[in-house]
Structures are given as C-alpha cells and as structure tokens.
Amino acid sequence: MKVTIDEAKCCGAGQCVLAAPEVFDQREDDGVVILLDAEPPASEAGNVREAAALCPAAVIAIQD
Amino acid sequence: MTRTDATPATPLPAPRQCPYAPPAFYTETRESGQPRRGTLWDGSHPWLVGGYDQVQQVLRDPRVGADVTDPGFPNTSAAQPELEGNIFFRKDGDEHLPVRRILNPDFTAKRVEKWRTRIEELVDDAIDKMLEQPRPLDLVKHFALPIPTTAICELLGVDLVDSPVVTHAAHLATDMEAATEEKVAAMHELSEVLARYARQKQDEPDDRLLGRLVNEHVPNGDLTFDEVVRLAQLVIGAGHETTANMLSLGVLALIRDEQQREKLLSDPDAYAATCAEEMLRYWTIVQTEPRRFAREDIEVGGQLIRAGEGIICSLAAANRDPAVFQAPEELDITRAERRHMAFGYGVHQCLGQNLARVEMQAAFPRLFQRLPELRLAVPEEELRFRDTHIVYGLHELPVTW
C-alpha cells in the first residue's frame, strides 16, 4: 500500500490522526497533515483506509 | 437530468414529528433520491439535500460556494451577512483555508488530547457543584453549559465563564426567531469585551489562542485586530453552545435508555468514544447547516441545481441513511462507526470537533458513574426542544437523583 497526500488542500481536521496515528500526524504550526509512513505495513491498511474515507477534504490517496 | 420547479411550502427547518428523529421532510427528501425545495423565512427556496452520498458530493464540489455575502446564499436570518460576512468560515478558497490554518494548532488531535485531564476535572467540578444544589435542577444550566463554556474560555484565554454577555449573545445568534437588531447588539457587546481582552494580551502575552492570535498574527499582517476579535467571537460561540446541546441531548438519551446506559457503565473506557460518536450521529444537532450555493449549474441525484441557487444539506437525514448505517434509527452506543457527518464535511468541517469529542467522552460516563440514579424530574412530554434554533437541543433538562 502506497499513500500520498495533497497538502495544499488539507484543512487540518485531524481525522486521519485519530484513525491512523502511526501513519499520519499534524504539523504544529498550521495543522496540515504529515505523512509519517508512505508505505505502511499491511497491519495498518484498515486504519489508513478509514483515514482516507473520513478525510473531509479528500486529500489522502491510496495505491495498492 | 430533470428539473422540477414546483415549489412546496415546507419551511426550513422543517417541523419535527418526533423530537428523537429528523423532520419527515428531510427523511422523505433522502428517500426520494433527489434534492427538494424548501422555503426559508425570506421566501427564498433553497434546495434541501438529504442522501449521505449527495451531501458529500455537494460539500466537496468546488463549484459550490460558502460565501454568506453572495446573493444566492441561503440565509437563515437577515442578520447573518452582517454577523458572519467577514469570517473565514463563510468564505471560500484563499479567504478561508489560510485563516483556518492559523486557528488549527489549538485544535489538532494531539493538542486537544493534552486538555483531556483538565476537561475531566471540569466534569467532576460540575458534578460536585450539582451535588450542592437543591433538587430537582436544570442539567443544561448546571452541567451541559458550564463544561464546554469553561473549556473554550480556558483555551481562548479569557475569563467569561459566568458572563451573561456570552450566553446572551450565543443564545440570540442561534435563535432564528430573534430580531436582527437584537442579535447585532448582543454580538457587538461580546466583541467589545473580547477586544478588551485582546488589548490586555498585547501588554501581557500568554500562550493561549487569543494571545497567540493578537501577538503573532496581527504584527505580521496575517490578521487585523478586528479580525482577531471576530475569530475569538466565533470560537467562543461555536465552542460552547453546540457541545452544550449535545451534552444535554446525550444525557437525555442515556436517561431514557437503561440498556444503553448500563452498557456504557459496564466498560466506560471501551465505550466512551463510541458513545460520543453515536450521540453525534443520532442527534445531529445542526438543523440548517451546512448551507451553500451553486456557483455554476450542478447536478445532484439527477436534479439540476442552477447557478445562484441556494443549497442546504441535511446532515440529520444523511446520518440516518440506511445505505451507510445499519439500523440507523436505533441508538447503539457500541456502534463502531465514525463516518457520520455531524461535524459537517468538506474543508469547512468543524474546527473544534476534536475538543467536542473529548468533552463528550469525559462527560457521559462520569455523570452516570457518579449519579447512577439520575432521572427526569418532569414527565418526558414536558421537555421543551429547541425547534427554532440553528442548533437543536433542550431549553432545559430538569433532573433529580
């Protein structure tokens, strides 16, 4: 699984951090998403998919 | 693509047939598979969108605008363009996102998590004070309001917890039947108080939100002093009234449903989070938000919505969409489901949602742990729901134990 994010559109709602804290974080100064692991292990796949589904700005893209 | 111009007279927000369910007009709109026109106070006829997928489609479509000053924007009162016209959350694009990102740091998931212990203290303090009061008492006044009001005031760095200026302004701002002059006057009064705090923080900086805004973002030109005051006003208004209503309604739901209450108390650590999410989904308290207008012609569920026409998304109908939620009419606090849109959807999704979550997660189990005999002090039929407010809720919740 490969994850990419579109920082320019991120509104910093933080839903990805709640869903998959091992894979996503938020920048301290503006809340924009930080990708901690662009190729997360299979064990994280469910959380990452949930994060992508919950992202209100649809900035998380997944490639299997 | 079809277009129906027949104009039904259903007023928005539509009347509820049952206080525990969205208005039938919203549910029927979802079931029809197409947006339908409603009628606002000013005689305008925005489209109501009710299906989960359709609400998501509208709220992420860049051809749909959130600018409250646009002539096509469906206003729920005459006061709105004046009260909200210059605030980022009623703007689009570069007028929205950069300002949101200035506020974000105080509301990130991690930052809010650091407030959890303090919020737990606020919950216990509120219960301690309830125990000193004669019974019955109003749970809205003594529990649901003080917790989020104190939390948002501390986050902002102002001491307005018991200020009638705040409660008066917040109450009027969300009351769709209040007069424009009254609303504007109340908000003006609140902004004067907040401006005094902001000036004080210029002399004595602190690390709270208002101090940060006025000392970091005014000097570098990101925001004007007046914009800071407006943002503080927005944060304080949006940060307590909403959560307060969710707390009152959630407590009511748990009082009514012994099975759900026992489930929550059987393992509060396991169910505090799912209980909060389920209350959000079940009640979905915003009655006339999110509102938008079409910048260009768009199609939703086969229906043409023309450029310049207003759109109101019914989050309540979407959150009970059987295509997404199993047995959506049932309250199930163990439901592991976070796809609800109680906080909206799209780039305008609620800024304070993570704070609201922690407040609910702390409040629901703790209240019933400490007051297991908590019950209504009046017959249920006597409860007064806030039907004409932007934010649904209870005017008061008389309880005893």
Side-chain angles (χ1 to χ4, degrees):
Chain A
M1 171 182 266
K2 278 190 185 177
V3 184
T4 50
I5 49 180
D6 183 350
E7 271 191 31
K9 289 185 187 160
C10 175
C11 64
Q15 298 317 287
C16 55
V17 184
L18 294 178
E22 302 295 317
V23 181
F24 303 100
D25 200 354
Q26 281 173 283
R27 252 185 348 227
E28 285 280 319
D29 58 344
D30 59 7
V32 167
V33 59
I34 299 171
L35 189 54
L36 301 173
D37 188 350
E39 294 186 32
S43 57
E44 283 292 324
N47 292 342
V48 173
R49 278 184 217 291
E50 190 188 10
L54 292 177
C55 174
V59 303
I60 301 169
I62 299 169
Q63 224 185 347
D64 286 306
Chain B
M1 193 149 56
T2 59
R3 185 174 164 86
T4 323
D5 276 309
T7 306
T10 304
L12 298 174
R16 288 181 193 243
Q17 288 67 32
C18 162
Y20 305 103
F25 179 66
Y26 297 1
T27 306
E28 287 160 15
T29 299
R30 183 191 70 221
E31 287 167 353
S32 78
Q34 282 197 323
R36 293 199 301 186
R37 283 182 187 272
T39 302
L40 281 180
W41 62 282
D42 60 357
S44 65
H45 299 292
W47 293 97
L48 185 85
V49 178
Y52 184 94
D53 288 346
Q54 292 176 4
V55 168
Q56 284 205 338
Q57 179 203 327
V58 166
L59 295 177
R60 68 179 167 221
D61 191 327
R63 297 169 300 173
V64 171
D67 191 334
V68 73
T69 61
D70 187 278
F73 192 86
N75 281 302
T76 43
S77 81
Q80 268 179 334
E82 175 154 359
L83 292 177
E84 301 175 344
N86 290 315
I87 308 181
F88 78 104
F89 87 118
R90 297 289 192 203
K91 296 283 186 186
D92 294 304
D94 285 348
E95 290 182 291
H96 163 252
L97 203 51
V99 181
R100 177 165 173 133
R101 286 176 173 178
I102 289 171
L103 295 175
N104 272 340
D106 286 71
F107 298 96
T108 63
K110 280 187 178 168
R111 185 73 71 88
V112 167
E113 196 51 47
K114 288 185 184 165
W115 279 93
R116 187 180 290 271
T117 308
R118 176 64 187 141
I119 289 166
E120 287 167 353
E121 280 173 16
L122 296 180
V123 171
D124 270 324
D125 286 353
I127 300 170
D128 288 343
K129 286 185 188 152
M130 280 172 70
L131 289 165
E132 293 164 8
Q133 295 289 324
R135 284 168 264 170
L137 60 74
D138 175 14
L139 188 117
V140 174
K141 186 177 168 196
H142 293 278
F143 184 77
L145 266 168
I147 295 165
T149 310
T150 313
I152 203 67
C153 284
E154 290 191 7
L155 187 138
L156 206 52
V158 298
D159 184 14
L160 290 171
V161 176
D162 298 316
S163 168
V165 177
V166 173
T167 39
H168 183 58
H171 191 77
L172 282 176
T174 63
D175 185 350
M176 287 181 278
E177 291 183 342
T180 300
E181 307 75 46
E182 224 185 333
K183 287 185 185 197
V184 173
M187 291 312 272
H188 188 66
E189 199 185 350
L190 175 58
S191 66
E192 278 185 358
V193 173
L194 290 167
R196 274 205 297 279
Y197 268 104
R199 279 193 289 273
Q200 187 188 326
K201 281 167 195 295
Q202 287 176 318
D203 299 330
E204 300 161 40
D206 62 19
D207 61 354
R208 299 292 165 89
L209 179 56
L210 184 57
R212 187 169 71 74
L213 292 178
V214 79
N215 291 309
E216 287 178 25
H217 294 282
V218 173
N220 73 5
D222 289 342
L223 300 168
T224 65
F225 184 87
D226 286 348
E227 282 170 331
V228 166
V229 173
R230 275 179 172 271
L231 291 180
Q233 204 175 299
L234 172 72
V235 166
I236 215 165
H240 78 280
E241 180 105 342
T242 46
T243 310
N245 283 300
M246 272 308 306
L247 289 176
S248 339
L249 291 170
V251 168
L252 171 62
L254 290 166
I255 286 176
R256 294 178 81 224
D257 194 327
E258 188 182 352
Q259 212 182 338
Q260 297 293 313
R261 194 168 70 238
E262 281 176 3
K263 194 79 193 171
L264 175 63
L265 291 179
S266 72
D267 193 348
D269 291 340
Y271 298 125
T274 53
C275 176
E277 299 306 320
E278 177 66 347
M279 291 303 179
L280 286 161
R281 184 196 72 82
Y282 182 80
W283 289 108
T284 313
I285 55 175
V286 288
Q287 304 208 82
T288 52
E289 301 281 346
R291 288 172 289 125
R292 299 288 187 268
F293 69 97
R295 293 185 180 287
E296 300 171 28
D297 289 359
I298 62 167
E299 189 190 330
V300 180
Q303 174 67 54
L304 171 66
I305 296 179
R306 290 215 169 103
E309 291 182 334
I311 305 170
I312 296 182
C313 294
S314 173
L315 301 174
N319 282 342
R320 294 199 183 191
D321 191 333
V324 178
F325 304 99
Q326 267 196 341
E329 303 303 328
E330 283 173 27
L331 178 79
D332 175 3
I333 63 132
T334 69
R335 194 191 288 269
E337 177 58 80
R338 291 192 42 219
R339 282 183 296 168
H340 68 76
M341 294 188 284
F343 292 114
Y345 187 75
V347 291
H348 289 277
Q349 196 182 54
C350 177
L351 174 74
Q353 61 179 296
N354 297 322
L355 179 64
R357 285 195 163 94
V358 172
E359 291 175 16
M360 278 182 272
Q361 290 165 6
F364 291 136
R366 193 67 180 149
L367 179 66
F368 287 96
Q369 277 175 322
R370 291 193 55 190
L371 301 175
E373 301 298 319
L374 191 74
R375 60 187 183 274
L376 289 182
V378 295
E380 199 180 317
E381 317 78 76
E382 287 179 20
L383 293 175
R384 294 192 311 128
F385 290 85
R386 293 167 33 123
D387 288 308
T388 62
H389 286 242
I390 292 172
V391 177
Y392 190 58
L394 285 157
H395 288 288
E396 58 273 306
L397 182 58
V399 294
T400 191
W401 57 89

